[in-house]
Amino acid sequence: MILKRRFYNRPTLDVARDLIGKVLVHETRAGLASGVIVEAEAYIGESDPACHAAPGPTKRNAPLYGPPGVAYVYLNYGIHYLVNAVTEADGWPAAVLIRALEPKDGIALMRRRRGKSRDVNVNDLCRGPGNLTKALGITLAQNCLDLTGSALRIEDQGGPSRPVQWSRRIGITVGVEQEWRVTAADSTAVSGRPIPNP
């Protein structure tokens, strides 16, 4: 079942937690690839210095100010595409960055896209936000797609609920004190060890 817009139209931390165990799906001409979300980070509002909305509305961050349930894809440091799910009410800028997946469908396709042989552990294919977009074929072409009804979507496939763990966000230099990173505590596919506050 594809997640409905009301799923995303809630407090961002609730959405982040509830995305753990859901399945990110991308259909392309090359085939379908998907993975179970096991790591995500919340970015909330203009007062969050690590959120792209911190400087106020821009052309780049416009999707953050739009309706919930839309994909916000951007190029990070000119190298990696990162995919986010926009959350909360239209006009309130917030999103959840999807950081890691446990590969599910299209694993051979993911290996080809990543240039990884069969010797590479399957859980390494989508470990980290840049790796998962490459594995799923997500680029700027998917920016602003409707996650509730497009080739890029998030589904509830009835998987078991996963125990979660909260920690500080990683890969950023500001807003690091917030424990807004959520991981599936039982997964070996997360992108880094939890960093608790001292």
Side-chain angles (χ1 to χ4, degrees):
M1 180 186 74
I2 299 175
L3 298 179
K4 303 284 195 286
R5 200 165 313 282
R6 63 177 176 270
F7 175 91
Y8 303 97
N9 191 14
R10 299 183 295 144
T12 305
L13 294 175
D14 292 345
V15 176
R17 179 196 63 224
D18 292 345
L19 280 174
I20 301 299
K22 303 301 189 291
V23 180
L24 179 65
V25 179
H26 190 211
E27 286 186 81
T28 67
R29 280 183 285 187
L32 182 147
S34 73
V36 178
I37 299 170
V38 292
E39 180 181 0
E41 287 177 339
Y43 291 87
I44 307 172
E46 295 175 355
S47 62
D48 176 2
C51 182
H52 282 186
T58 66
K59 183 176 180 180
R60 181 195 193 200
N61 69 23
L64 288 175
Y65 289 84
V70 167
Y72 172 43
V73 182
Y74 62 87
L75 187 61
N76 192 45
Y77 298 120
I79 303 171
H80 301 294
Y81 298 107
L82 304 190
V83 62
N84 302 256
V86 176
T87 57
E88 308 212 20
D90 196 341
W92 172 254
V96 174
L97 170 66
I98 300 172
R99 286 196 56 93
L101 308 173
E102 291 173 351
K104 192 171 187 291
D105 300 302
I107 290 172
L109 177 58
M110 292 184 194
R111 288 189 185 279
R112 289 199 300 274
R113 285 171 170 160
R114 292 281 327 278
K116 301 295 183 182
S117 70
R118 290 187 180 183
D119 297 335
V120 173
N121 186 300
V122 68
N123 276 344
D124 288 335
L125 295 174
C126 298
R127 187 195 314 277
N131 290 333
L132 76 86
T133 54
K134 190 169 184 180
L136 267 65
I138 298 170
T139 68
L140 291 179
Q142 283 69 52
N143 188 36
C144 297
L145 285 186
D146 186 351
L147 294 172
T148 71
S150 72
L152 180 65
R153 57 191 182 270
I154 301 177
E155 300 179 357
D156 183 347
Q157 296 186 356
S161 61
R162 308 285 291 264
V164 301
Q165 185 171 3
W166 291 91
S167 60
R168 289 185 287 170
R169 297 176 293 188
I170 59 178
I172 56 175
T173 56
V174 294
V176 294
E177 69 284 350
Q178 303 288 2
E179 293 194 345
W180 288 355
R181 174 176 174 248
V182 61
T183 55
D186 59 350
S187 178
T188 60
V190 298
S191 66
R193 292 182 178 179
I195 305 173
N197 271 324

